[in-house]
Amino acid sequence: MTPHDPIDDGATARAVIDEHGTLVEWNAGARRLLGWSAADVVGRPAAELLADGSVPVPAGPRWDGTLPLRHQDGHRVRVWLLAHHRSPGEDRPAHWLVVTPLEADGSRSPGDPLATAALTQSPCAVAVYDERLRLSRINDAMADVLGLPEERIQGLRISEIGGKPQSEELEEQMAGVLATGRARDVETYMRTGGESRAHAWLVRMAPVTDAGGRVRGVCLAAHDFTENHLSRERLQLVNEAGMRIGTTLDVTRTAQELADVCVPALGDFVSVDLLDPEEEGTAPPAPITAPVGLRRAAHRSISPGSPEAVVEPGRLELYPAESPQAASLEAGRTVVASVPSGDLDAWLAWDRKRSARVREHGIHSMMSVPIRARGVTLGVAVLTRFRRPDPFTADDVLLAEEITARAALCVDNARRYSRERETALALQRSLLPRELPRTPAVDAASRYLPAARSGVGGDWFDVIPLSGMRVALCVGDVVGQGVQASATMGRLRTAVRTLADIDLAPDELLTHLDDLVVRLSEEAGGEGSPGEVGATCLYAVYDPVSRRCTLARAGHPAPVLVPPSGAPRAVDLPAGPPLGLGGLPFEPAELDLPEGTVLGFFTDGLLESPERDVDAGHALLLDAFTGADDSLDDICDRVLRTLLPPGGVADDVALLLARTRGLPASQVATWDIPADPALVAPIRKQVVDQLGSWQLSEASFTAELVVSELVTNAIRYGSQPIRLRLIHDAATLICEVSDSSHTAPHLRRAKTWDEGGRGLLLVAQLTQRWGSRHTAQGKTIWADITLLDEA
């Protein structure tokens, strides 16, 4: 029956008033109430029906109140009115609907079913408890929920009826309502006696009062809001997955986070299996056909120890076409299978071990969800249920796919990061020395640790053999991280080796390196913008003959010095400006080092830590260097173990250690050469005699020729004083001729009939290598003769 059905028209007085206050409708109930017919009032102002003429002003879309109205026979009628403002529709303008009931006396006969329908036949489950919280009444819906008739449980408490912990909690809440007289709402999740599975319930409790307002009991209404509860849980799980999955750029860790999120919310056991990439850090191939090889990345179970697992993490397993894993990967969609339906019979018959686990743990349902990101299939997540009795639903599939899609992006990001990191590390490994050269000047050891997150940075170190058995030790740090910092580091390291090859002093070398960094900054910044290339560097040259070390630094941490019998200390060395500022000087320092002295060079990543200040780091560093007699490798390991956290470092770290050697005076011979060509022959004889005393007569022929050419050139083209020096160790004989001229020699091509011009060419052919270096007094021409080849 509709609200405007004629059979009901007389039970309610109804009128419609337009926006101008004019009556436009008047029903039979209104005529019954006031005696006016529709013809009498329609089209006239509604205010004419007010007995006192006062027109109420509604404050909102609804108004109610009691007004005195004029009856047709002239007497006043006080009537309660309810008015609704209706917005304009397609067939009528905006208006007010005014109604009042005419049959609301509430008198019902004792047998009228409407008198009891509010309780017994209400679709909402309702129960009434007395002052002792004993059951007084329940309706039919509550009896269905409980699975018990009213006459059997009257007089019992709710904790006795339910018999569950949740029932006791509800009884405590009811006691609170009884004591305070205030209504309460309680949410609970439980299975009642009349249900086959648990539901989410919203229990609304209200006090029952008598006419005097005294609380006489509690009315309890239970509403099943399982769908809303599950929707809320799904949304919460998706949000939780967004926060918990992908916290690192590690593939295995991300897979474990996916499994952890899904247990127990979606499954009792969850495994994540990934396809092996073609190469380390690259995406796997497509398309996928059975049988499929999958490597277990992670799994998680509600049971400690994951006894349901057939495959251990890291192991490769082959899955046939009958398996849910292969089926879902081939189809590219989620596959749900159950044991009772027989979906898994073929696979379990093929895999007897897995079949035994299924029977042992009562596994009844499986869901296989492909892990796909950016159009590439990465693997599969398999969710299994055995403790939860309900199978997977369509909503479970959507939820699992949503969570897996988020995890897939994280896995793909991790693999992309792995590929880029490996590329960057390969670049950096190619730019750093693969092994340190063996030199007669020092024993050396090194360590390099990439940053935990970026993996690459701009730290570098180098050991560069120089002429005269000297050695250059260098360590540097380019500002920033990543491939760009590594590329800049490679350019600077190459520049250092080039500058070292022309035997520049440490302060001069840093000046040239500073100019290079300034140019790199200009290239990096472009026209009109400042560059962003910066670096620090420490460069040292050690001479085993004089046992003197010359150092200079450009904004780099000072090295640690450990004498053979003494405490470690930082070298007092002028700091110098960082590279890239341009135009500022670098001040060198010289140290006399006893044989066996340990020098420690490092980058700032070794000292930086959020858990301590720099001074504390320096103190730890000096403590770690205690024990100079230990091997250099042991000292390196002890330093890193003492100063670096076990979980990796935020900045890359370079460490270079060198233990000095000294060349005995017996392995060095020196002659002052007069500026007389006639004395070259006696000098050659003295050289031959000296080689004989060193038992190096096999090198006499070559050495005699080299000495003759170098000394003759010095007398002819150089300036006094002229000095000849021979140095040897077990492998090399070095011939050096020094003079006070700064003019560097060079090779030239002599013509056929030229009488000279072939001396240096002859030296180059007879020796392993030759060159010149500038000194404060002039220059030195040197040549290395390999003794092992002569032997």
Side-chain angles (χ1 to χ4, degrees), residues 330-351:
E330 285 185 315
R333 58 178 176 81
T334 300
V335 171
V336 178
S338 65
V339 173
S341 65
D343 299 334
L344 302 173
D345 289 350
W347 180 39
L348 296 180
W350 178 82
D351 192 336

Side-chain angles (χ1 to χ4, degrees), residues 190-340:
M190 61 184 296
R191 186 176 71 85
T192 64
E195 297 179 307
S196 59
R197 61 186 180 91
H199 283 73
W201 296 95
L202 172 61
V203 182
R204 317 200 76 164
M205 305 173 185
V208 177
T209 59
D210 57 17
R214 178 187 172 191
V215 178
R216 302 299 300 273
V218 177
C219 178
L220 183 149
H223 306 271
D224 185 351
F225 75 118
T226 302
E227 290 302 320
N228 290 339
H229 175 76
L230 293 178
S231 298
R232 190 167 60 189
E233 280 197 336
R234 294 186 189 106
L235 180 60
Q236 182 178 354
L237 186 60
V238 170
N239 292 335
E240 184 180 355
M243 292 186 293
R244 292 177 55 187
I245 298 176
T247 59
T248 67
L249 287 172
D250 180 79
V251 174
T252 303
R253 180 60 189 161
T254 301
Q256 187 62 57
E257 289 167 348
L258 171 59
D260 293 344
V261 166
C262 292
V263 176
L266 274 174
D268 300 321
F269 175 75
V270 175
S271 61
V272 180
D273 301 308
L274 300 178
L275 293 160
D276 276 344
E278 288 183 330
E279 295 179 1
E280 185 65 27
T282 62
I288 300 172
T289 57
V292 181
L294 294 169
R295 191 173 300 278
R296 176 62 50 87
H299 57 230
R300 176 68 182 271
S301 172
I302 58 174
S303 305
S306 301
E308 310 84 8
V310 177
V311 182
E312 292 301 318
R315 178 182 163 190
L316 185 68
E317 184 80 356
L318 201 63
Y319 292 89
E322 297 82 7
S323 65
Q325 291 89 335
S328 63
L329 290 176
E330 285 185 315
R333 58 178 176 81
T334 300
V335 171
V336 178
S338 65
V339 173

Side-chain angles (χ1 to χ4, degrees), residues 432-520:
L432 291 174
R434 295 186 178 181
E435 60 180 15
L436 299 179
R438 293 184 178 182
T439 70
V442 295
D443 294 321
S446 65
R447 296 291 186 273
Y448 175 78
L449 273 69
R453 281 195 169 274
S454 64
V456 293
D459 290 11
W460 89 91
F461 59 90
D462 214 342
V463 176
I464 309 169
L466 301 178
S467 62
M469 293 192 180
R470 296 168 306 131
V471 65
L473 305 169
C474 180
V475 64
D477 184 2
V478 175
V479 175
Q481 294 180 344
V483 176
Q484 185 61 43
S486 292
T488 302
M489 175 270 287
R491 299 176 73 173
L492 295 185
R493 177 172 177 255
T494 301
V496 169
R497 294 188 70 89
T498 302
L499 296 171
D501 194 50
I502 60 176
D503 260 315
L504 291 180
D507 54 325
E508 294 180 18
L509 182 143
L510 292 181
T511 299
H512 285 281
L513 199 62
D514 182 48
D515 294 338
L516 174 60
V517 174
V518 170
R519 290 196 297 271
L520 293 178

Side-chain angles (χ1 to χ4, degrees), residues 7 106 135 192 198 206 224 231 241 313 331 354 361 434 558 585 672 716 740 767:
I7 196 172
L135 181 64
T192 64
D224 185 351
S231 298
R354 195 177 300 271
H361 298 283
R434 295 186 178 181
D672 291 324
R716 181 176 299 179
S740 59
T767 61

